[in-house]
Amino acid sequence: MSKEMLEAFATLEEKKGIKQEVIVDAIKAALVAAYKKNYNQAQNVEVDFDERKGNFKVMAVKTVVDDDQLQDDRLEVSLSDALAINRAYEVGDEIRFEVTPKNFGRIAAQTAKQVIMQRLREAERNHIVDEYSQYEDELITGTVERRDNRFVYVKIGNVEAVMPRSDQMPNETYNPQDKIRVLVTRVGSDSKGAQIVVSRTAPDLVKRLFEQEVPEIYDGTVEIVSIAREAGDRTKIAVKSSDPNIDPVGTCVGQRGARVQNVVNELGGENIDIVRYEDDPSDYIANALSPAEVIAVQFGDDDEEKSALVIVPDYQLSLAIGKKGQSVRLAARLTGYKINIRPESEVEFVDEDKDENSDTNDNDNANNTAAKNEEASSDSAEEAISDEAEDAADDTYDTKE
């Protein structure tokens, strides 16, 4: 039995990654539980394991007391009995007696098995959590195993991850043995064991795909500042560069669009808009609504609400809003602003103050012009009178001649 036991330990450690010490502790706890249930002796029971022989022993621990103080022989041993074992024992010492039953019986064996299995499940769960927690928020390749009404089950290494319906792409079908790349969004445990949750719809999935396709993003030269995504349909990402000589948008698009196209193909044809991040919010919002043309961006007075009124040409209104409001909705998520879009023809009131100033200036200009005209007319009249006097003098002069 001892040889088979040690071989089983080695197999569990190799296949399940559970160390022998953990398995031994589980068996010790199981034997104590079984002994307690059948012999009501667990209060002072320990289990020893002989690592060389692979044998377990149940030991009862008793405290040495004076002969006249002995009350419970399950917990105590008289001093005279202790001295018969070893003359060195004193009152207060603990003595361990082997009480291993020859046969625990069917109930004891079943109890031990249940406790062992429970401890093994806990150890395996902790091992999985420890091993895969490093992959949280990372991209990993898995194999579809099966699916039901709630989840797609994806095999990752030696464990099975789940992909909830909300994390499944609406334009994709998952069949057994399909190879898919997923983002690990959660590694944890519950009453049923370890649980690894993966996603195909998380915005960070797009970020990790671009990191693989664009070396400048991976090394930090180009940074993805924000991502807004409606999985399976459209994604907007804002990028900036720490190197003024590198165009972040062009870098992500790649030569002839090769880099962004690889990401699009991985996402089943999902449209991806790459825009330049700007520190100026008005420029940033204008870029986020690309390819629509923006005339002006005006911000609300409430800084906490972070709202913006965007004015676009009439013929660009539908493009700026997008199908079912998708473009402006994604732009709002990307920038963090509540965006209201108005066509140019409906916002004459926007520059009312400026128009009033213009009217005042126009009136002033008109008045100045009138005054100048009056002065010019007066000067012209005086010049005309002077000219006439000179002509008369000339005529007189000519006449005299």
Side-chain angles (χ1 to χ4, degrees), residues 2-10 20 49 51-54:
S2 60
K3 182 179 180 181
E4 289 79 2
M5 181 78 71
L6 294 173
E7 289 177 352
F9 291 167
Q20 177 176 309
F49 174 65
E51 295 184 2
R52 185 175 59 86
K53 296 181 179 180

Side-chain angles (χ1 to χ4, degrees), residues 293-309:
E293 178 186 344
V294 173
I295 295 176
V297 178
Q298 293 189 339
F299 298 96
D301 296 330
D302 189 352
D303 294 335
E304 293 183 0
E305 186 180 6
K306 294 186 71 175
S307 63
L309 174 65

Side-chain angles (χ1 to χ4, degrees), residues 143-147 152-155 159-160 175-177:
T143 304
V144 176
E145 285 199 319
R146 55 194 172 90
R147 63 177 304 165
V152 171
Y153 299 88
V154 182
K155 187 77 170 184
V159 301
E160 186 178 69
N175 299 311
Q177 304 306 314

Side-chain angles (χ1 to χ4, degrees), residues 222 241 243-252 276:
V222 174
S241 173
D243 187 340
N245 297 320
I246 294 180
D247 174 20
V249 175
T251 299
C252 294
R276 182 190 293 270

Side-chain angles (χ1 to χ4, degrees), residues 41-265:
Q41 294 286 326
Q43 301 93 328
N44 62 328
V45 167
E46 294 179 357
V47 175
D48 286 344
F49 174 65
D50 188 335
E51 295 184 2
R52 185 175 59 86
K53 296 181 179 180
N55 294 328
F56 288 93
K57 294 179 180 180
V58 182
M59 309 297 291
V61 182
K62 298 182 180 183
T63 304
V64 178
V65 297
D66 289 326
D67 292 359
D68 57 351
Q69 298 293 324
L70 182 64
Q71 295 180 354
D72 189 345
D73 59 4
R74 297 175 304 173
L75 301 174
E76 301 168 338
V77 60
S78 65
L79 179 60
S80 58
D81 290 341
L83 293 174
I85 299 171
N86 191 320
R87 300 294 297 178
Y89 282 127
E90 298 177 354
V91 174
D93 290 344
E94 291 184 342
I95 304 177
R96 304 167 81 248
F97 299 90
E98 183 178 354
V99 293
T100 307
K102 293 182 180 179
N103 185 6
F104 274 97
R106 183 179 61 82
I107 297 177
Q110 185 64 27
T111 303
K113 179 181 178 181
Q114 290 174 354
V115 175
I116 290 172
M117 293 304 297
Q118 180 181 359
R119 292 292 296 272
L120 290 177
R121 282 195 297 269
E122 291 175 358
E124 184 175 6
R125 176 176 59 193
N126 294 335
H127 171 71
I128 291 173
V129 171
D130 291 342
E131 180 179 355
Y132 284 90
S133 59
Q134 62 180 315
Y135 297 110
E136 194 165 351
D137 201 32
E138 294 294 335
L139 195 64
I140 195 168
T141 301
T143 304
V144 176
E145 285 199 319
R146 55 194 172 90
R147 63 177 304 165
D148 56 26
N149 293 331
R150 296 188 304 158
F151 301 110
V152 171
Y153 299 88
V154 182
K155 187 77 170 184
I156 300 175
N158 295 323
V159 301
E160 186 178 69
V162 296
M163 183 163 60
R165 182 176 292 274
S166 60
D167 289 294
Q168 300 171 24
M169 296 270 282
N171 60 334
E172 291 181 342
T173 302
Y174 307 101
N175 299 311
Q177 304 306 314
D178 283 352
K179 295 285 187 182
I180 59 173
R181 286 201 279 182
V182 294
L183 186 80
V184 179
T185 57
R186 179 179 176 271
V187 178
S189 61
D190 54 23
S191 58
K192 297 181 180 179
Q195 188 178 57
I196 300 175
V197 181
V198 297
S199 175
R200 287 278 295 168
T201 61
D204 277 352
L205 175 70
V206 180
K207 182 178 182 179
R208 296 291 179 247
L209 290 172
F210 269 102
E211 285 177 350
Q212 291 188 352
E213 293 294 334
V214 184
E216 291 83 356
I217 293 180
Y218 185 80
D219 64 23
T221 305
V222 174
E223 177 187 353
I224 296 179
V225 180
S226 180
I227 300 178
R229 186 183 185 200
E230 292 188 358
D233 194 358
R234 195 175 201 91
T235 293
K236 285 180 180 285
I237 69 172
V239 295
K240 68 177 183 179
S241 173
S242 59
D243 187 340
N245 297 320
I246 294 180
D247 174 20
V249 175
T251 299
C252 294
V253 171
Q255 188 175 10
R256 299 182 180 179
R259 289 176 171 177
V260 69
Q261 190 59 48
N262 289 336
V263 178
V264 169
N265 294 339

